[in-house]
Amino acid sequence: MKENAVKDSKQLLLIDDDPNLILLVKDYLEFRGYEVVTAENGRKALSVLAEEMPDMIICDVMMPEMDGYTFVEQVRLDPRTSWIPVLFLSAKGQSQDRVKGLTKGADVYMVKPFEPEELVAQVESSLKQANRLIHHSGTEAEAKPKIQVPFDVELTPTEQKVVQFVARGMANREIAEQLNVSQRTIESHVSNMLGKTGLHNRTELARWAIESSMA
C-alpha cells in the first residue's frame, strides 16, 4: 500500500492497437500504483498529449493511422514533450529493429511477449533516470550563468529542429539520419547557428536551446 502511494502522482500514456494488451498492461500498471491513460494509435496519442502531460510513454511500434516511429519523432520535435521517456513495445526483436527504435527516439525497447515484472522494472528505471536528469539540469543551471546570445537571433525551422537534436546530445551523423539529409548539411546548420549566436561549440548551443525552452 505504501509502495502504491509513492507512485500515485506518476501518469503513464499507454499506446497500442491491441485492446487485449491495453487492458492487461493497464490493469497491471494500475495495480502497481500508476495512473494510466490510453490511446489506440499515434494520432490519437498526440491528441491526448495536447491535454495531458504524462511522466512516461509506453508505445507499440506497428499501429494503424500513425505508427510508433512517426509518433515518437513528433514527441521529440515538440519542446513541450521532448523530455518524456519513451518505452517501445514491439513484436519485432531483431537487432536492426532495436537499433531503429532507439535511433527514432525511444529510451527503452522491449520485445513482445514480455514479463509484466520486467515492464514495471523498466518503467521505474526510466522514471528514476528522468528524475535524475531533471535534478542535474536544475543544479547545473544554478551553478553556471545563463548563456548569453543576441536578443534578435532568429533560427530557420530546420535549424530549430537541428538544435533540438543537439540539445538531446545527438551527434551530427544521428541528426542527419533523423532528418534524412547528409552529415555535411547538418554540420553546415550547426556552423550557421554558432555564427548567428556567437557561441563557441555544440555544448553551449545545447545549453542555450535548453535555457531558451527550445529543447
Side-chain angles (χ1 to χ4, degrees):
M1 203 58 193
K2 186 177 180 182
E3 183 186 24
N4 287 353
V6 172
K7 296 172 186 160
D8 272 346
S9 62
K10 297 298 183 185
Q11 184 186 76
L12 310 178
L13 172 57
L14 175 61
I15 312 158
D16 201 296
D17 62 326
D18 181 348
N20 292 323
L21 185 139
I22 282 274
L23 185 62
L24 288 171
V25 175
K26 184 175 187 289
D27 282 352
Y28 197 85
L29 290 170
E30 287 181 339
F31 177 74
R32 295 300 293 262
Y34 294 101
E35 179 186 347
V36 182
V37 180
T38 65
E40 62 189 45
N41 59 55
R43 194 172 304 283
K44 291 192 176 180
L46 289 177
S47 298
V48 172
L49 286 177
E51 305 291 333
E52 306 278 352
M53 187 57 62
D55 295 282
M56 184 171 178
I57 295 169
I58 301 171
C59 184
D60 187 21
V61 174
M62 305 308 293
M63 297 180 291
E65 292 193 44
M66 180 184 288
D67 65 17
Y69 297 136
T70 306
F71 167 71
V72 171
E73 285 179 330
Q74 295 293 316
V75 168
R76 293 299 182 225
L77 287 173
D78 185 346
R80 180 175 162 270
T81 59
S82 62
W83 61 272
I84 301 175
V86 175
L87 185 154
F88 263 154
L89 294 176
S90 176
K92 294 185 173 184
Q94 297 295 317
S95 176
Q96 61 265 30
D97 298 316
R98 294 174 183 270
V99 169
K100 182 177 181 180
L102 296 171
T103 301
K104 288 292 184 180
D107 299 284
V108 181
Y109 190 104
M110 287 185 65
V111 179
K112 301 176 183 178
F114 52 86
E115 290 294 330
E117 284 296 329
E118 183 185 358
L119 175 63
V120 171
Q122 291 284 13
V123 168
E124 292 179 350
S125 176
S126 296
L127 290 172
K128 286 176 183 175
Q129 184 177 6
N131 195 47
R132 283 197 300 271
L133 288 173
I134 290 168
H135 284 298
H136 179 64
S137 297
T139 303
E140 279 201 328
E142 291 174 12
K144 297 178 183 177
K146 276 201 167 188
I147 291 285
Q148 298 296 321
V149 301
F151 71 92
D152 57 349
V153 168
E154 290 188 12
L155 302 184
T156 67
T158 302
E159 287 172 346
Q160 290 175 8
K161 289 181 181 178
V162 171
V163 79
Q164 287 171 3
F165 287 126
V166 169
R168 287 177 52 203
M170 293 175 65
N172 289 341
R173 174 183 55 78
E174 296 173 306
I175 300 172
E177 290 174 358
Q178 283 276 25
L179 299 181
N180 199 27
V181 297
S182 70
Q183 184 173 330
R184 187 176 294 276
T185 298
I186 299 302
E187 290 168 354
S188 177
H189 283 309
V190 171
S191 178
N192 287 341
M193 286 188 285
L194 291 175
K196 286 180 179 181
T197 58
L199 300 175
H200 301 94
N201 51 50
R202 293 171 99 259
T203 302
E204 290 188 353
L205 197 61
R207 277 190 58 203
W208 173 61
I210 293 169
E211 291 173 2
S212 305
S213 299
M214 286 187 288

